[in-house]
Amino acid sequence: MRSPGRVSELLFLYETATRRHGRLRSIAQVLGLSVQAVSLLYRDARARGWVEEVDGTYRPTLRGIEHLHGAFGNLSLDLEARRRNLAIIRQCWAVAGEDLAKGDTVSLNMEGGLLLATKGRRSPSRGRVLRPARRGELVEVGELQGVVSLEPCPVEIYVLPESWSPHDPIPLPLSHALRAGTHGLLVAEGLEAYHVMQRFARTPPLRFGGAAAARDASQVGVPALVVVTRERLPSLLRRLEEPPPAPPFLLRTLGRGRSRRPKGGP
């Protein structure tokens, strides 16, 4: 974005990829550049192996297409980060970590997916209490300064054995993880996964919109556990990764050997 030449280079490649141009003059007219400038762009792109002439038209090579996708992908990430920085919040609601009086200066921290306001703790984000609140109540905080520190939490993905059936024993690692109850969000991708999870989980797993929910939970530091079959895994990973950036995740492939049948199960 800081280099006009870099932007012109990408726009030149984009034109050759999306429209048929037999003359550099037509590209220059679309881009609002001189023919001499476009001629220089063409010679540089050809020297890099990004563009070639095919049947009298300028077309990008495979290397040029790869470069164009990579550059636009990086640009998209950069623009999204800048857009998020423009979302300036002047006041917000938080959970009072203790009894708070009007005018108290508080620190804001994310704990278990909840924004917590306290007087004694340090935080990059601070504000002033607008109305009094008791511990555990919602408190309105204004005069905000700084940004709340967020540490994404990995999404744990347990993949059921390829030929698993509802009558098979439950893999031990999965049953232990479900019984532990340490995950703030449980997601079942498909009926098979739901059948497994509802037999062991302390709380009902989420059946719909699980990928989006896991992304949101990860962003605010809430651990999520997802159970999925091998067939559904590619679709799940694609939904976790789009739009970027993808949350960190741990992929745990379950085997059939380390398993046992649940008490009272079939």
Side-chain angles (χ1 to χ4, degrees):
M1 292 178 66
R2 296 187 180 96
S3 171
R6 174 72 167 162
V7 174
S8 298
E9 172 188 283
L10 294 177
L11 292 176
F12 173 80
L13 280 176
Y14 179 78
E15 275 299 311
T16 62
T18 57
R19 301 186 189 184
R20 296 179 64 86
H21 289 279
R23 302 175 61 191
L24 294 178
R25 181 178 298 276
S26 66
I27 300 178
Q29 291 174 345
V30 172
L31 300 184
L33 300 174
S34 67
V35 176
Q36 291 82 359
V38 171
S39 178
L40 289 174
L41 289 173
Y42 167 67
R43 279 186 284 177
D44 183 65
R46 184 180 61 182
R48 294 171 180 263
W50 291 344
V51 71
E52 60 186 350
E53 287 188 63
V54 179
D55 297 331
T57 62
Y58 299 101
R59 305 296 297 170
T61 63
L62 290 178
R63 185 185 299 178
I65 290 291
E66 183 180 2
H67 171 71
L68 190 63
H69 277 275
F72 276 155
N74 292 334
L75 182 61
S76 176
L77 291 175
D78 183 70
L79 290 175
E80 177 61 22
R82 295 172 187 269
R83 186 189 66 81
R84 286 198 300 267
N85 289 337
L86 290 176
I88 301 174
I89 301 174
R90 299 300 181 186
Q91 60 187 53
C92 69
W93 291 93
V95 177
E98 56 189 298
D99 292 348
L100 299 172
K102 181 178 179 180
D104 282 345
T105 299
V106 292
S107 298
L108 297 172
N109 294 276
M110 190 68 69
E111 291 190 6
L114 299 176
L115 188 61
L116 193 68
T118 55
K119 290 185 292 186
R121 297 179 55 183
R122 293 184 178 181
S123 170
S125 178
R126 301 180 64 81
R128 192 175 300 278
V129 175
L130 300 181
R131 295 180 180 84
R134 293 186 178 276
R135 180 177 180 178
E137 295 179 344
L138 287 181
V139 60
E140 192 171 10
V141 182
E143 301 179 26
L144 299 177
Q145 299 178 6
V147 179
V148 176
S149 178
L150 296 178
E151 296 183 7
C153 189
V155 178
E156 289 191 52
I157 304 173
Y158 287 80
V159 185
L160 292 173
E162 188 168 6
S163 57
W164 184 89
S165 78
H167 302 291
D168 287 339
I170 305 299
L172 273 177
L174 176 57
S175 64
H176 287 165
L178 291 174
R179 289 184 185 277
T182 56
H183 295 82
L185 176 69
L186 300 178
V187 175
E189 281 287 313
L191 187 59
E192 305 97 317
Y194 180 77
H195 177 77
V196 171
M197 299 181 75
Q198 58 90 24
R199 296 161 67 185
F200 283 94
R202 297 182 180 182
T203 58
L206 185 66
R207 295 182 58 195
F208 308 106
R215 284 175 58 98
D216 290 345
S218 169
Q219 188 175 28
V220 295
V222 175
L225 185 153
V226 183
V227 178
V228 63
T229 60
R230 286 182 179 270
E231 293 77 11
R232 292 176 178 266
L233 180 60
S235 173
L236 170 68
L237 294 179
R238 184 176 65 252
R239 284 177 283 129
L240 281 176
E241 295 171 353
E242 297 176 358
F249 60 84
L250 301 174
L251 198 59
R252 305 187 186 281
T253 302
L254 299 171
R256 300 175 63 87
R258 300 173 59 191
S259 62
R260 66 176 176 82
R261 294 188 181 275
K263 293 181 180 180

